[in-house]
Amino acid sequence: MMDSNAVFDPRALAARLRSLHNAGKQAPTAGFALPADLRHAMDAQNFLAAEEGITSNAWKVTASPDGQAVTAPLHPYAETDSGAQIPWAKGMKFEAEIAVRLGKDLAIRESSYSRAEVADAVATVHLGAELLASAIEESGRLSFFLFLADRLGNCGYVLGPAMPKTLIDTATGTQLKVTFNGQPIYDAPAQHPKGDVLTWLVGYANDRFRPESSLKAGALITTGTLCGAIELASPGEIDILLGEASRLHLSLVAK
């Protein structure tokens, strides 16, 4: 059990998280010095991203249990034309998602962005696959700020080819089929946790405390799962089909 009176050190937390990931291990929430607030969590996340050498301009957005918009970088990041191989990790989970690339800046401003304004800033829409593996045994169930420091559990992302932009309006309810090593693991209408795939992006766009450098033209944002989080017990091949024509293939490979 950690000393709750100890001064929080975001660099030390980042080093601990990275060490656990490198070793393919997890530790219980009680074994960490916990960030007390969003700033401490983001300080640790930034140190972790720096230690991992993350340079891709690809991000996930979501909201904390109390509705605060939050983000984390996606890493390792691959596109289908670059081989689309992600290292498999024990306990890894998979999510099929919609990703958007911004064609315009969404600058911080006093007035709120409407959904239509955020949608207008989107240049391209893609089918994507996020992989999740947290260094924390309970993931974010006991400390969301600790989970945020751990890059919201992200351990990889694969971006598929561009799809019709209309899918940001119609993805939920569109038939989604996912196979793993040829066996179906999801075959049902796509379901986003908020119904609308842009909900969390709109929330983040309207966060006046986000970094000035965020949500610039060219940024890639993934918008949340369409199939829940599905655990993958081994390395293997994933094939995703959204609707009748949007396809994505990726490989999870042993380290």
Side-chain angles (χ1 to χ4, degrees), residues 74-156:
L74 300 172
H75 178 78
Y77 172 79
E79 298 188 6
T80 50
D81 59 3
S82 65
Q85 292 189 342
I86 297 291
W88 176 83
K90 184 178 179 181
M92 176 177 276
K93 295 180 180 180
F94 155 86
E95 297 180 351
E97 303 189 350
I98 295 292
V100 301
R101 193 178 300 280
L102 298 181
K104 302 177 183 178
D105 293 354
L106 289 170
I108 298 171
R109 69 185 197 187
E110 288 300 314
S111 58
S112 294
Y113 286 99
S114 66
R115 184 192 188 278
E117 288 177 306
V118 172
D120 183 62
V122 171
T124 57
V125 175
H126 303 257
L127 182 60
E130 183 180 7
L131 292 314
L132 302 160
S134 178
I136 308 154
E137 285 183 2
E138 303 87 356
S139 296
R141 292 189 295 275
L142 298 184
S143 172
F144 181 81
F145 290 137
L146 179 61
F147 187 58
L148 177 58
D150 195 28
R151 294 197 297 106
L152 295 167
N154 173 262
C155 69

Side-chain angles (χ1 to χ4, degrees), residues 211-224:
E212 292 281 352
S213 59
S214 62
L215 300 185
K216 299 293 187 182
L220 191 286
I221 315 293
T222 195
T223 59

Side-chain angles (χ1 to χ4, degrees), residues 9-254:
D9 182 346
R11 192 184 297 272
L13 175 56
R16 177 101 190 281
L17 290 169
R18 188 180 187 209
S19 176
L20 287 165
H21 279 294
N22 287 344
K25 295 181 178 179
Q26 292 181 312
T29 300
F32 291 91
L34 301 181
D37 53 29
L38 180 65
R39 180 178 65 82
H40 283 158
M42 290 305 299
D43 285 347
Q45 185 195 106
N46 290 335
F47 281 126
L48 179 59
E51 287 195 13
E52 293 178 314
I54 298 176
T55 58
S56 63
N57 190 16
W59 307 85
K60 67 182 294 183
V61 294
T62 186
S64 69
D66 63 359
Q68 171 65 49
V70 292
T71 187
L74 300 172
H75 178 78
Y77 172 79
E79 298 188 6
T80 50
D81 59 3
S82 65
Q85 292 189 342
I86 297 291
W88 176 83
K90 184 178 179 181
M92 176 177 276
K93 295 180 180 180
F94 155 86
E95 297 180 351
E97 303 189 350
I98 295 292
V100 301
R101 193 178 300 280
L102 298 181
K104 302 177 183 178
D105 293 354
L106 289 170
I108 298 171
R109 69 185 197 187
E110 288 300 314
S111 58
S112 294
Y113 286 99
S114 66
R115 184 192 188 278
E117 288 177 306
V118 172
D120 183 62
V122 171
T124 57
V125 175
H126 303 257
L127 182 60
E130 183 180 7
L131 292 314
L132 302 160
S134 178
I136 308 154
E137 285 183 2
E138 303 87 356
S139 296
R141 292 189 295 275
L142 298 184
S143 172
F144 181 81
F145 290 137
L146 179 61
F147 187 58
L148 177 58
D150 195 28
R151 294 197 297 106
L152 295 167
N154 173 262
C155 69
Y157 197 83
V158 175
L159 186 73
M163 305 184 297
K165 186 174 174 179
T166 52
L167 272 168
I168 58 176
D169 300 317
T170 62
T172 293
T174 299
Q175 192 68 20
L176 173 65
K177 183 173 183 179
V178 182
T179 62
F180 182 58
N181 291 330
Q183 300 300 310
I185 56 174
Y186 187 91
D187 190 358
Q191 296 295 330
H192 188 273
K194 293 296 182 181
D196 179 4
V197 300
L198 290 187
T199 295
W200 287 324
L201 178 53
V202 173
Y204 189 59
N206 289 322
D207 178 7
R208 297 188 182 97
F209 300 101
R210 60 182 168 91
E212 292 281 352
S213 59
S214 62
L215 300 185
K216 299 293 187 182
L220 191 286
I221 315 293
T222 195
T223 59
T225 184
L226 299 176
C227 61
I230 303 171
E231 186 163 348
L232 304 174
S234 68
E237 305 295 314
I238 297 176
D239 287 281
I240 309 168
L241 174 63
L242 180 64
E244 297 182 355
S246 299
R247 299 176 182 273
L248 173 58
H249 173 83
L250 62 143
S251 301
L252 301 180
V253 296

